């Protein structure tokens, strides 16, 4: 222990002289008269004894930061423990050539060579605070010069260091007179990149939508002063080239914002309602040229203005021949031509029953003007052709509704009992099969025969009616006295 303490106390003042290698009798540690085994082990020269607790702090040079991890021989060059200076400049050559003095500790720390935080503060006091990327930049990046005087009189304006950056930028071209050389008007060291700027487009033309991602040179190819703010000034080529619809031929307004937005040209946002013709139903999906093939000025707003050909070519029913109104909306809607929505009730002839499913031409084969509204007007042929019973011969009334309904011709709802004679009730119920049982004259149903059905003979009948005034052996006389068929 005494030897160890003596070594520590004597170490700063000892100047070791270079000796011969130990193999030739020299001592690599100079005048230290210790045995090798006092510090080294037999296992390896590089492995020191564990009980040797050498405290470098007591030499007057405390090992901190990077010094603590350094190998002894890095500072203690052979002979190993000769006197080593404790000033930074003793080991670290002056990279600044004396311009900043030789006290490295003013700017650097033993931890690393990066400038101390205090140095950054000192830099701000000298008129140029180190912020953003400047705080991590190498000193030599700004302090350069062949006269070794790079730390004296270094300019503090951006342009002095970044003139090449200013001249090399092409999007936009900063060399244009409109740009200022004060980089901080758009850029900031804290951003860490040139591409991010604080520049705001003038309020007279705020950048929105696709304009935000458009290169500056796309609008400012001719310079930055006097650039127009109207859409058409930049987009006249698109205006002239558009053919669906043709903007020029159609006389469209050159105020692009009437139909388009800054987000994209399509889809256009034109409000057709402003024209007095709102697009409804099928009109919403039509191509503009379907209606505006001849241009946009003076396009008619009436249906027949566009659909006259449809009106003239329709034959079921034939609109032109029938004298139909050209107000298409009377029967059709904007959703589709068919089915038509014509309200037949407005004609005075309501469509009921089977009439609802008929084709128009079934009644209007000769046209639509003057079509009769009475049943017989359409069903005369049916009336004349019926033989069971023969309507014409029987002189049936031509008011078809007296016997028939709108749903079907049969069964007929002829009220024989109420109008003439009870055959569905009373004594005649189920006593006949066909009309001809009583109406024996096919051509005249106004005639009927009572005597042919009953087991009568004139002699007996005459005797039975001997006391009846004005008695006659005639069917008509039977009906006169027995209108209900009772005795």
């Amino acid at each position: 222990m005494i030897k160890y303490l003596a070594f520590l106390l004597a170490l700063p003042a000892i100047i070791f002289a270079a000796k011969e290698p130990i193999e030739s009798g020299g001592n690599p540690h100079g005048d230290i008269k210790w045995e090798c085994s006092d510090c080294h082990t037999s296992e390896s020269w590089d492995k020191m004894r564990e009980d040797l607790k050498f405290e470098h702090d007591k030499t007057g040079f405390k090992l901190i930061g990077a010094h603590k991890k350094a190998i002894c021989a890095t500072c203690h060059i052979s002979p190993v423990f000769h006197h080593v200076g404790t000033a930074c400049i003793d080991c670290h050559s002056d990279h600044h050539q004396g311009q900043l003095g030789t006290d490295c500790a003013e700017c650097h720390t033993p931890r690393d060579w990066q400038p101390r935080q205090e140095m950054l503060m000192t830099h701000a006091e000298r008129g140029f605070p180190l912020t953003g990327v400047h705080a991590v930049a190498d000193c030599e990046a700004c302090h350069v010069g062949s006269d070794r005087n790079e730390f004296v009189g270094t300019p503090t304006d951006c342009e002095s260091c970044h003139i090449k950056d200013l001249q090399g930028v092409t999007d936009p071209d900063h060399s244009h007179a409109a740009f200022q050389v004060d980089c901080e008007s758009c850029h900031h060291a804290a951003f860490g990149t040139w591409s991010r700027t604080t520049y705001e487009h003038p309020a007279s033309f705020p950048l929105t939508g696709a304009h935000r991602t458009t290169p500056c040179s796309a609008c400012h190819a001719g310079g930055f002063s006097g650039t127009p703010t109207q859409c058409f000034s930049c987009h006249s080529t698109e205006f002239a080239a558009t053919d669906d619809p043709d903007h020029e031929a159609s006389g469209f307004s050159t105020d692009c914002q009437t139909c388009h937005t800054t987000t994209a040209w399509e889809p256009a946002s034109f409000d057709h309602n402003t024209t007095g013709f709102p697009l409804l139903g099928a009109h919403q999906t039509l191509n503009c040229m379907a209606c505006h093939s001849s241009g946009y000025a003076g396009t008619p707003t009436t249906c027949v203005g566009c659909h006259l050909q449809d009106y003239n070519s329709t034959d079921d029913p034939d609109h032109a021949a029938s004298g139909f109104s050209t107000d298409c909306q009377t029967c059709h809607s904007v959703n589709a031509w068919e089915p038509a929505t014509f309200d037949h009730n407005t004609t005075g002839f309501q469509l009921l029953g089977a009439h609802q499913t008929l084709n128009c031409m079934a009644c209007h084969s000769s046209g639509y003007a003057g079509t009769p509204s009475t049943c017989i007007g359409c069903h005369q042929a049916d009336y004349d052709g019926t033989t069971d019973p023969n309507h014409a011969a029987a002189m049936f009334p031509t008011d078809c509704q007296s016997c028939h309904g709108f749903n079907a011709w049969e069964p007929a709802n002829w009220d024989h009992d109420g109008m003439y004679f009870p055959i569905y009730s009373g004594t005649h119920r189920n006593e006949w099969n066909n009309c001809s049982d009583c109406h024996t004259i096919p051509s005249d149903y106004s005639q009927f025969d009572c005597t042919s059905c009953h087991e009568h003979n004139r002699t007996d009948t005459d005797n039975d009616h001997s006391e009846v005034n004005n008695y006659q052996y005639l069917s008509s006389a039977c009906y006169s006295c027995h209108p209900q068929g009772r005795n």
Side-chain angles (χ1 to χ4, degrees), residues 264-282:
W265 281 116
E266 294 182 353
S269 58
F270 176 69
D271 185 4
H272 209 281
N273 293 341
T274 60
T275 66
F277 189 90
L279 295 182
L280 304 174

Side-chain angles (χ1 to χ4, degrees), residues 309-328:
Q309 183 177 352
D310 300 305
Y311 177 93
N312 290 330
S313 61
T314 302
D315 56 8
D316 184 21
D318 188 325
H319 287 34
S322 304
F324 276 16
S325 168
T326 56
D327 183 5
C328 304

Side-chain angles (χ1 to χ4, degrees), residues 210-247:
H211 287 158
R212 295 188 65 84
T213 58
T214 301
C216 303
S217 57
C219 298
H220 299 287
F224 288 83
S225 58
T227 302
T229 58
Q230 294 78 24
C231 303
F232 184 74
S233 298
C234 280
H235 297 289
S236 59
T237 301
E238 286 91 347
F239 181 91
T242 302
D243 56 8
D244 183 21
D246 189 323
H247 287 33

Side-chain angles (χ1 to χ4, degrees), residues 4-266:
Y4 178 66
L5 293 176
F7 169 72
L8 294 177
L9 294 174
L11 184 58
I14 296 175
I15 300 177
F16 295 125
K19 300 293 183 178
E20 296 294 326
I22 194 167
E23 288 81 2
S24 59
N27 185 354
H29 300 313
D31 296 334
I32 295 179
K33 304 299 182 180
W34 288 3
E35 296 295 330
C36 299
S37 60
D38 290 339
C39 297
H40 300 277
T41 69
S42 59
E43 297 177 11
S44 171
W45 279 111
D46 296 331
K47 185 176 181 180
M48 307 300 290
R49 286 175 48 185
E50 293 183 0
D51 60 343
L52 179 62
K53 305 299 182 182
F54 180 73
E55 299 181 25
H56 204 284
D57 295 357
K58 293 181 179 180
T59 67
F61 190 87
K62 186 176 181 179
L63 295 181
I64 58 177
H67 290 155
K68 193 172 184 178
K69 299 178 181 180
I71 300 173
C72 300
T74 302
C75 298
H76 298 283
I77 305 171
S78 181
V80 178
F81 292 105
H82 74 79
H83 174 71
V84 177
T86 58
C88 301
I89 197 67
D90 292 334
C91 283
H92 301 284
S93 58
D94 184 8
H95 294 283
H96 307 304
Q97 300 294 319
Q99 297 297 326
L100 299 180
T102 59
D103 187 3
C104 304
E106 286 188 2
C107 300
H108 304 279
T109 70
R111 291 181 177 82
D112 53 49
W113 278 110
Q114 295 298 325
R116 295 168 51 188
Q117 187 64 31
E118 294 84 350
M119 180 56 191
L120 298 179
M121 297 174 62
T122 302
H123 210 287
E125 293 173 357
R126 294 179 179 179
F128 194 90
L130 296 180
T131 59
V133 292
H134 288 155
V136 296
D138 291 334
C139 301
E140 291 79 3
C142 299
H143 299 286
V144 296
S146 59
D147 58 356
R148 301 293 183 181
N149 226 9
E150 64 266 27
F151 289 93
V152 179
T154 302
T156 58
D157 61 288
C158 303
E159 183 186 11
S160 297
C161 280
H162 297 289
I163 186 63
K164 290 185 177 180
D165 298 307
L166 181 71
Q167 294 173 344
V169 176
T170 58
D171 186 22
D173 187 346
H174 284 40
S175 63
H176 193 277
F179 281 92
Q180 302 179 22
V181 294
D182 181 10
C183 304
E184 287 186 304
S185 60
C186 299
H187 305 277
H188 198 282
F191 292 159
T193 175
W194 283 111
S195 60
R196 182 182 173 188
T197 72
T198 57
Y199 176 74
E200 286 294 334
H201 217 271
S204 59
F205 194 92
L207 295 183
T208 59
H211 287 158
R212 295 188 65 84
T213 58
T214 301
C216 303
S217 57
C219 298
H220 299 287
F224 288 83
S225 58
T227 302
T229 58
Q230 294 78 24
C231 303
F232 184 74
S233 298
C234 280
H235 297 289
S236 59
T237 301
E238 286 91 347
F239 181 91
T242 302
D243 56 8
D244 183 21
D246 189 323
H247 287 33
E248 283 190 324
S250 304
F252 277 16
S253 168
T254 56
D255 183 5
C256 305
Q257 287 181 302
T258 303
C259 304
H260 305 278
T261 68
T262 56
T263 302
W265 281 116
E266 294 182 353

Side-chain angles (χ1 to χ4, degrees), residues 393-395 435 438-450 475-476:
M395 295 184 291
C435 299
C438 295
H439 300 282
T440 57
I441 303 175
S443 61
D444 187 0
Y445 272 75
S446 64
Q447 303 298 319
F448 54 88
D449 184 10
C450 296
S475 294
S476 58

